[in-house]
């Protein structure tokens, strides 16, 4: 599986997003993604969150291995409906240091 599918389907990412949104998602399926190479990699991931076709956009940052390789949830955009919006760059909107996964 690709990186974004493994990470996004994992309980850590889903749990962090649910904590941020203050709700739970019965459906949480990665749909598409884009990357941005910086001093690490930003992953912008479109995630399906309902059978009706509602989506979230996630911003996940992975540090370079020489900086410890940590992975952080940097942002969540809510209320993308019916899959029409392509995932794209958006500014960080969450605390840089939390949550982190190995």
């Amino acid at each position: 599986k690709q990186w974004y599918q493994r990470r996004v389907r994992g309980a850590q990412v889903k749990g962090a997003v649910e904590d941020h949104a203050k709700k739970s998602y019965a459906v949480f399926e990665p749909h598409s993604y884009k990357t941005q190479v910086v001093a690490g990699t930003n992953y912008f991931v479109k995630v399906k969150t309902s059978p009706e076709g509602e989506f979230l956009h996630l911003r996940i940052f992975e540090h370079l291995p020489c900086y410890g390789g940590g992975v952080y949830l940097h942002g969540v955009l809510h209320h993308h409906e019916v899959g029409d919006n392509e995932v794209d760059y958006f500014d960080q909107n969450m605390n840089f240091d939390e949550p982190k996964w190995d």
Side-chain angles (χ1 to χ4, degrees):
K1 292 182 181 178
Q2 292 191 16
W3 181 95
Y4 81 99
Q5 291 176 321
R6 289 192 318 270
R7 287 288 188 181
V8 173
R9 287 179 194 255
Q12 293 172 318
V13 172
K14 183 177 185 235
V17 172
E18 289 176 337
D19 288 347
H20 176 75
K22 298 188 179 9
K23 66 184 282 187
S24 61
Y25 299 102
V27 176
F28 203 80
E29 300 170 357
H31 180 269
S32 59
Y33 78 106
K34 288 186 177 182
T35 60
Q36 176 191 37
V37 177
V38 290
T41 304
N42 285 317
Y43 293 87
F44 300 94
V45 185
K46 182 176 183 176
V47 179
K48 184 175 181 179
T49 58
S50 78
E52 294 78 30
E54 293 178 4
F55 291 83
L56 294 176
H57 290 188
L58 308 181
R59 178 180 174 145
I60 300 169
F61 177 72
E62 182 176 32
H63 272 290
L64 292 171
C66 62
Y67 295 115
V71 178
Y72 300 83
L73 180 63
H74 272 192
V76 179
L77 295 180
H78 302 273
H79 308 300
H80 291 277
E81 297 177 2
V82 195
D84 291 338
N85 297 332
E86 184 176 320
V87 67
D88 206 355
Y89 174 89
F90 64 94
D91 288 331
Q92 175 180 335
N93 62 13
M94 295 181 71
N95 184 339
F96 183 81
D97 292 328
E98 298 215 13
K100 175 185 175 187
W101 311 290
D102 297 320

